[in-house]
Amino acid sequence: QVQLQESGPGLVKTSQTLSLTCTVSGGSLTTSTSAWHWLRQPPGKKLEWLGVIAYDGSTYYSPSLKSRTSISRDTSKNQFSLQLSSVTPEDTAVYYCARSDGLRVGAVSTSEYDDWGQGTQVTVSS
């Protein structure tokens, strides 16, 4: 069973960079069938896909957030990270990391993911 755990600040100021880390256990970031995603759900809104890092380190981002989003990994720690720059209060959301079997770029249905972190609330203060 693959387990994921998000960590990072729960409060970020407007215009700063939001940084979150997902620690993976029970699986490897370099497993060829797995892809590692970041998603978020703002209050009262639907789940939004942010981006993915594949087993080979290639990355894909949501077109609407591509200019502000970066996903990286540290394979020695089995962690992958999200950075979202120039945040505003509209970036307030519960942020999730998740694993899919296969790349699944842009997937927003929970059924397309095999494992999830518990989610972490990030609030952007104005």
Side-chain angles (χ1 to χ4, degrees), residues 5-69:
Q5 178 67 58
E6 305 91 348
S7 60
L11 184 64
V12 183
K13 294 183 179 180
T14 295
S15 79
Q16 292 186 339
T17 296
L18 179 162
S19 297
L20 296 173
T21 296
C22 184
T23 301
V24 178
S25 58
S28 171
L29 295 180
T30 58
T31 299
S32 62
T33 57
S34 291
W36 308 89
H37 302 254
W38 285 100
L39 304 97
R40 69 182 183 183
Q41 187 162 25
K45 296 185 179 180
K46 295 181 179 179
L47 191 66
E48 180 181 17
W49 180 81
L50 304 179
V52 59
I53 185 163
Y55 72 94
D56 62 356
S58 56
T59 54
Y60 304 85
Y61 300 110
S62 167
S64 64
L65 293 170
K66 185 176 182 179
S67 64
R68 299 197 290 130
T69 308

Side-chain angles (χ1 to χ4, degrees), residues 75-93:
T75 56
S76 67
K77 296 180 179 179
N78 221 29
Q79 296 176 331
F80 65 106
S81 297
L82 169 73
Q83 289 198 316
L84 183 67
S85 64
S86 304
V87 297
T88 72
E90 290 192 347
D91 294 307
T92 294

